Amino acid sequence: MARRRIAAEDGHRALAQVADGSAGRPELAMAVRFTLEELAELAPGNSVEVRVPPFGVTQCVEGPRHTRGTPPNVVETDAATWLALVTGTTTWPDAVAAGKVAASGQRADLGAWLPLAGRRP
């Protein structure tokens, strides 16, 4: 399991600022990175790489470990879509259908882990 870098209090504060529209770029970046850490904690593993450029990337979901080259299972989206997915304001199928999420590979469906809201004690 990866070492946590963002304290829960700071991450939740950044998410609240994004939600109320008062977030600047630093808070947006923190919210994205915090939620990527949360996903990695909820779905530990190294078989899927989740990219939210330019703010962060994580590996998650149990399965074969990827070590070199382009990962076989990749999810990529923008920060606004990612935060909408993790907070539940949009659904995985809707975001994929709208072309807001690029997901490739057999394990690249994150619908089972999203939204993150309410998943952690």
Side-chain angles (χ1 to χ4, degrees), residues 28-108:
L28 179 62
M30 182 178 290
V32 168
R33 291 177 185 134
F34 174 69
T35 55
L36 288 170
E37 289 178 2
E38 289 288 293
L39 176 64
E41 186 93 5
L42 180 66
N46 296 96
S47 69
V48 178
E49 186 166 287
V50 181
R51 302 171 182 168
V52 185
F55 299 117
V57 62
T58 195
Q59 290 188 354
C60 57
V61 182
E62 283 188 36
R65 182 178 181 90
H66 165 74
T67 56
R68 296 175 55 115
T70 302
N73 302 286
V74 176
V75 172
E76 188 166 336
T77 190
D78 61 277
T81 302
W82 174 250
L83 293 173
L85 285 164
V86 301
T87 59
T89 58
T90 194
T91 66
W92 178 261
D94 289 346
V96 171
K100 293 183 176 188
V101 172
S104 62
Q106 290 179 307
R107 297 176 184 271

Side-chain angles (χ1 to χ4, degrees), residues 12-24 27 83 87:
H12 289 292
R13 183 174 29 256
L15 282 168
Q17 289 174 310
V18 169
D20 72 17
S22 67
E27 293 82 18
L83 293 173
T87 59

